[in-house]
Each structure stands twice: as C-alpha cells, then as structure tokens.
Amino acid sequence: DENEEILRAVWNAVSCRRRLAQRLIQRIDSKRARCECLASGRDRLKLRLDELQRTLGLSDLERDIALLSFLVANAEIHTYFRDYGREKSLNRRVIFLAECLDRSVSDVARAVESQERLRRYGLLDADLGFNKDYDGFLYEVEKAPLATRFYRRVAEKPLPWSYYGALAERQGDVLKALLASRNSARGMNILFYGAPGTGKTSFARSLAAELGLACYEVVQDINRKGDAAQGDPRNRFAALQICASQVDGAHSLLVIDEADDMLRGCDGSDGLSELFGGRTQASGDKGLLNSVLDGVQVPCVWIANVGPESLAPSSRRRFDYSIRFGKLDA
C-alpha cells in the first residue's frame, strides 16, 4: 500500500519521526473528540427517548418502533432499509419493523393498531410513518419538556370563591360533594356550557383551588406556527389521556377548555352531536369521546361555548353534572 510505504519511510527518517508522531497524535485526538461528540449526541437522544417513553407511557417495544420509524423517516440508516421502510403496503411495513427489531410480526402488528398508543398519541400516522412534529423534540430543537405540548399546570392565582356569589352558593356544595365522594376507580365528568365570556374557565380554576386540587389544562391543538389551530380533535383527546396518565388523579382536576369540537358527534346523529343542534358537518369522534368519558380516572371539567337551546337533555346525561352559564346582565 503506497500510503503505508510513505508513512514507514517518514518514520524511519529519524529527523522526521517526532513531527510525524505529533501529527498522528493530533489526528487521533481529533478522531477521539469526534467520537465522543457522537456518543454524547446519542446519550442525549437516549434521554429524549426516555422522556418520550415516560410521558406517553410506551412499552419497550413501542419505544423501539418509534425510534426505528424516526431513523427511517430521517434517512439516518442505510438506503436499503430506508426504501424498504417506506414500502407502501402496511403488511410489508409491519414485517420490516418486526425483522429489524427481531420481534414477532404479531407483536408488532398489535403495537401499531389504531387504538394503541403509537397511533392514538400521533407518533405514527395511518401509514405507519413517523410524525415529524416530534422531530424538534428528539433533535433538541425544542427545549421545553414534552409534557408541555399536551398539558400545563395552571400557575395563575384564581379568583376567590366568594367572588362568584350565588353561583358558588347554589352549585358549590353540590360540586364539592360530588368530587369528594367519587369512586377513585372511575373519573367524573362535569360540563360547563353557555355563552362565551361568562366565567366558565375561571370558575373551574377557582373550584380546583377551593377543593385544594392541582388544576391542569389540556392544551389546544397547536400548529407549526405556534397558533391555536382548528385541527383534529383526536389530538386533544390524546393530550387529555396523556395528562390523565401523568398526574395524581386523587389530587387533580383537569380542565378541557374550548371543547366544542371534541363534544361534537362524529356522524351528526343522536347523542352528543345534539350539542350543536344536529349539525351534519361534525369533526369529533363520538366513540372516542364515550371511551374517554368512561376511561379517564381523573375528574374533568369540560367547557363548551354553546347556548341552552343547542344542548339536549340526552347530551347532558353523558355527564355526571352540568351547569349552564347564562349571559351576564348589568
């Protein structure tokens, strides 16, 4: 090999040996620093994956599927695997994931079903492609904890309970008794509905403070520009479920503000679609709504800006208790 012969000749020239040794040491140090940098980056990615797994409650298999899908989507593995991973057939994609992870096809197929966490929380889309909205978090472009994407603890000081006067006197004892006596094995769903600007959100926050509960708000759907988006209500259902899985259910109250789209039935038929007077254009998912209402074990206050004429009794019966907020008079 020509390079080896050149190096040997230089090394054998005693006057050049020291300089060659210095150059080699510099190259070795440079290579070591680059390897340490890469290793450090992998450690940071592992920390991000740990946070992702913890926040979304993923199993080890689900975590591995998410990581492999992330690598495929960002072309950080060999071209052969990248192209294979983008196979159009869902069956081929499941087989690809199973072979890469050395897991059974049936295990992977179950993990990527629509009702399981990877799809329910939006890590994978219907074609099993990785959701690039998570790239910023995994690449550390986003510095905030992942949980803040889904919910936040209300830090603002609430208005005093006495501020609400007759409302607190008339409804307060009922709400306190309901929440104090609830079965910890199931949640409780309370509906505040009525005209905008009538104090529904602030009353929910004050209720939490009055009961000594931590108040959490499920964030609204956010688009890439950081604005509140009229997006898929399933994103907020996912955020609600993530929040409920992370907080202390015995000492927390969840507030789902601007929940109109979530409460709208998916088919414009009976039940909660009547919230909106039987509109035919509906964006919610009634089956998902019912599942969440029955499955979340943390008490929730749902807030909707609809008038009493739009809310049918059959809709209210889906909730443990409801309060109508009328327009404020002088």
Side-chain angles (χ1 to χ4, degrees):
D1 179 79
E2 183 180 349
N3 291 328
E4 185 177 345
E5 292 178 6
I6 293 172
L7 286 171
R8 183 178 293 108
V10 174
W11 186 260
N12 289 334
V14 177
S15 61
C16 299
R17 183 178 297 172
R18 181 178 295 276
R19 281 188 295 168
L20 176 60
Q22 291 173 344
R23 292 292 182 88
L24 289 173
I25 290 172
Q26 289 174 359
R27 290 296 300 276
I28 292 170
D29 286 344
S30 175
K31 290 286 188 181
R32 180 192 297 125
R34 184 169 184 273
C35 289
E36 289 175 349
C37 181
L38 289 172
S40 174
R42 292 192 181 97
D43 287 344
R44 291 198 299 272
L45 177 59
K46 181 181 183 301
L47 291 175
R48 288 279 162 153
L49 285 167
D50 288 344
E51 184 177 347
L52 183 75
Q53 182 176 23
R54 183 172 60 252
T55 302
L56 303 187
L58 303 179
S59 67
D60 289 344
L61 174 58
E62 290 170 328
R63 169 199 165 111
D64 289 346
I65 292 173
L67 173 58
L68 179 57
S69 301
F70 167 70
L71 296 175
V72 168
N74 290 279
E76 293 187 10
I77 59 177
H78 193 278
T79 304
Y80 168 77
F81 291 104
R82 184 186 68 227
D83 294 340
Y84 188 27
R86 290 174 178 170
E87 174 66 48
K88 296 292 184 182
S89 166
L90 289 182
N91 288 337
R92 295 291 294 169
R93 291 185 66 84
V94 170
I95 293 171
F96 162 74
L97 293 168
E99 289 180 345
C100 288
L101 299 174
D102 195 24
R103 298 293 295 265
S104 72
V105 173
S106 59
D107 284 348
V108 173
R110 280 193 295 271
V112 298
E113 288 179 351
S114 60
Q115 70 272 20
E116 298 301 328
R117 284 176 286 258
L118 289 171
R119 299 266 303 279
R120 180 154 43 98
Y121 295 160
L123 271 171
L124 301 183
D125 60 26
D127 295 325
L128 305 189
F130 189 77
N131 183 352
K132 296 187 75 66
D133 285 344
Y134 284 91
D135 282 0
F137 170 75
L138 291 175
Y139 278 126
E140 294 190 286
V141 175
E142 300 173 10
K143 300 302 181 184
L146 181 62
T148 61
R149 176 182 295 203
F150 306 108
Y151 65 91
R152 72 178 189 95
R153 181 167 181 171
V154 177
E156 298 87 347
K157 186 176 181 180
L159 292 170
W161 188 245
S162 59
Y163 176 88
Y164 299 95
L167 176 63
E169 294 171 4
R170 188 170 61 252
Q171 306 283 6
D173 289 343
V174 177
L175 290 171
K176 291 178 184 178
L178 279 171
L179 289 166
S181 62
R182 76 179 184 89
N183 184 346
S184 60
R186 65 177 295 273
M188 176 164 290
N189 294 285
I190 298 166
L191 176 65
F192 292 172
Y193 67 100
T198 51
K200 299 184 291 295
T201 303
S202 61
F203 184 62
R205 294 176 178 179
S206 297
L207 173 64
E210 179 72 7
L211 294 170
L213 301 175
C215 184
Y216 294 91
E217 290 185 349
V218 177
V219 300
Q220 298 188 47
D221 203 7
I222 302 298
N223 63 20
R224 291 179 182 274
K225 296 180 180 179
D227 302 321
Q230 300 297 322
D232 192 336
R234 288 174 295 185
N235 294 339
R236 296 198 73 201
F237 280 119
L240 169 58
Q241 292 170 298
I242 291 168
C243 178
S245 70
Q246 295 292 306
V247 304
D248 181 357
H251 301 95
S252 302
L253 181 70
L254 308 189
V255 177
I256 306 99
D257 205 354
E258 304 287 343
D260 304 53
D261 282 344
M262 299 171 73
L263 296 174
R264 184 178 299 142
C266 63
D267 54 6
S269 61
D270 60 354
L272 285 170
S273 61
E274 296 174 6
L275 275 167
F276 294 84
R279 292 181 185 175
T280 56
Q281 183 181 1
S283 58
D285 185 331
K286 189 167 64 176
L288 179 56
L289 171 64
N290 293 341
S291 174
V292 171
L293 288 173
D294 295 335
V296 170
Q297 298 181 356
V298 184
C300 299
V301 174
W302 300 73
I303 298 174
N305 294 320
V306 295
E309 69 283 352
S310 301
L311 186 59
S314 60
S315 302
R316 290 200 300 270
R317 284 197 290 270
R318 290 296 305 167
F319 294 86
D320 297 284
Y321 197 70
S322 63
I323 300 176
R324 179 173 67 86
F325 285 70
K327 290 183 179 180
L328 300 178
D329 56 21

